[in-house]
Amino acid sequence: MHAFDVLGDPVRRRILELLAGGEMTSGAVCAAIQEEFGISQPAVSQHLRVLRDNGFATVRPEGARRLYSVRPEPLRDIDTWLDHFRRFWTPHLDALATELARGRRERRLRDPDERTDP
């Protein structure tokens, strides 16, 4: 299965988002996904299997529990592929950063006692 086929599913993307926060038990992943998407435990398990079988997640047993975590390598491959397209949004993000800095500077000049975000 191609990486974008794996990540094309919103449930699998959400599972990866959860796992990006750190290792989680399959039960915790299932509970979160069931609450958000209203799908069954077997359906969540199938999504976990797709992520595992395609190298996006790893699982390690700990007693009776199964702990899942993200494997970064496939995400690096996607990031490398995205390098071809960064030129389309990087200048816009740079311009946004400039405008935000300009706005902070103008607020500081108007009110030197006003605290700004770092």
Side-chain angles (χ1 to χ4, degrees):
M1 188 178 278
H2 189 277
F4 288 108
D5 293 327
V6 173
L7 297 178
D9 187 280
V11 172
R12 290 192 286 267
R13 286 194 310 270
R14 180 62 181 131
I15 291 171
L16 283 177
E17 289 171 359
L18 291 169
L19 296 177
E23 195 173 56
M24 291 179 71
T25 64
S26 57
V29 172
C30 282
I33 295 301
Q34 285 178 303
E35 183 177 320
E36 290 181 39
F37 291 90
I39 62 176
S40 68
Q41 181 275 328
V44 176
S45 293
Q46 183 61 34
H47 284 292
L48 284 167
R49 181 179 176 172
V50 170
L51 290 170
R52 191 180 64 240
D53 288 351
N54 288 280
F56 284 87
T58 61
V59 63
R60 72 176 180 87
E62 185 179 84
R65 302 181 326 157
R66 299 291 174 255
L67 296 164
Y68 282 84
S69 60
V70 172
R71 276 194 70 241
E73 294 83 8
L75 298 172
R76 287 186 195 121
D77 293 342
I78 291 170
D79 188 54
T80 299
W81 183 83
L82 285 170
D83 277 341
H84 301 288
F85 304 96
R86 281 187 178 39
R87 65 186 170 95
F88 294 112
W89 65 77
T90 300
H92 300 290
L93 292 175
D94 292 343
L96 175 61
T98 299
E99 288 303 314
L100 291 172
R102 182 177 292 138
R104 284 191 300 269
R105 190 179 106 244
E106 288 174 2
R107 281 192 306 276
R108 268 195 321 271
L109 292 173
R110 276 194 315 262
D111 186 2
D113 295 328
E114 183 178 307
R115 297 184 70 111
T116 59
D117 293 334

